[in-house]
Amino acid sequence: MKHCPKCNREVAPAAAICPHCGIVFAKYYKYHADPQAPATPRPQVTVVIDPAPDSLLGGDAYRDNSAVFLGRCLLLPGFVLWSWLLIAPGIAANAAGESFLHLVNLPFHEAGHVIFRPFGQFVASLGGTLGQLLMPTVCLLTLLLKTRDPFGAGLCLWWIAKIFWTSRPISTTPAPANCRCWAATSAIPRLTVFTTGNTC
């Protein structure tokens, strides 16, 4: 025997309706829990708390990835060797300006002149180098703060250093006739303006 949940009187176990109060058990238990029904296990929720970052800028997201570690071990000596090949000949040899990375920087250089043109002729003349510095800086901050990849951010810092290495003062250097950057600064006396390699 079981008890009616409404009138609490005994009814047959197989009864669908209470003969005393007329309640329909199926409708009642649709909105109320059946005390005689076996309890259904509740799904377990697992909460994973990420460990605190090693520093204010965060840790290395790829620290435990052996494939990434191997790739970094191969890249690091390659960049060290490349740096030596760009620096050893000296600034006058313009080895950095003749490297393929110069072609990567070229679109950012030319875009910088256009982007900074509304700020006047002098800032527009500086816009080439500013445009080149802007892109690796954005990549550096993204890798360091968003993707938590300090190694990649370090390579972006190397990229910035390469741009500074190929930058040079041009106010004391004879200007080529077809160089727009130098022509833009020729009307600004006694100012040292920086350009990048032989971009023009």
Side-chain angles (χ1 to χ4, degrees), residues 103-118:
L103 298 178
V104 177
N105 294 329
L106 182 60
F108 306 129
H109 177 96
E110 298 301 335
H113 289 304
V114 177
I115 293 172
F116 292 99
R117 188 178 299 276

Side-chain angles (χ1 to χ4, degrees), residues 97-190:
E98 298 296 337
S99 67
F100 84 92
L101 192 56
H102 172 74
L103 298 178
V104 177
N105 294 329
L106 182 60
F108 306 129
H109 177 96
E110 298 301 335
H113 289 304
V114 177
I115 293 172
F116 292 99
R117 188 178 299 276
F119 300 100
Q121 183 182 20
F122 177 67
V123 177
S125 64
L126 296 176
T129 301
L130 294 176
Q132 290 186 159
L133 292 173
L134 182 62
M135 182 53 61
T137 301
V138 170
C139 294
L140 185 151
L141 294 176
T142 301
L143 289 170
L144 189 61
L145 302 177
K146 182 67 175 177
T147 25
R148 303 297 185 187
D149 184 3
F151 182 84
L155 295 184
C156 290
L157 189 61
W158 178 92
W159 185 5
I160 294 174
K162 187 266 179 189
I163 294 174
F164 275 111
W165 178 252
T166 55
S167 297
R168 65 187 182 199
I170 63 173
S171 60
T172 58
T173 307
N178 60 346
C179 181
R180 297 193 310 273
C181 302
W182 299 27
T185 59
S186 60
I188 308 175
R190 298 181 183 179

Side-chain angles (χ1 to χ4, degrees), residues 43-63:
Q44 303 229 343
V45 179
T46 304
V47 178
V48 179
I49 301 177
D50 294 333
D54 297 337
S55 64
L56 181 62
L57 298 178
D60 189 351
Y62 305 97
R63 175 184 304 169

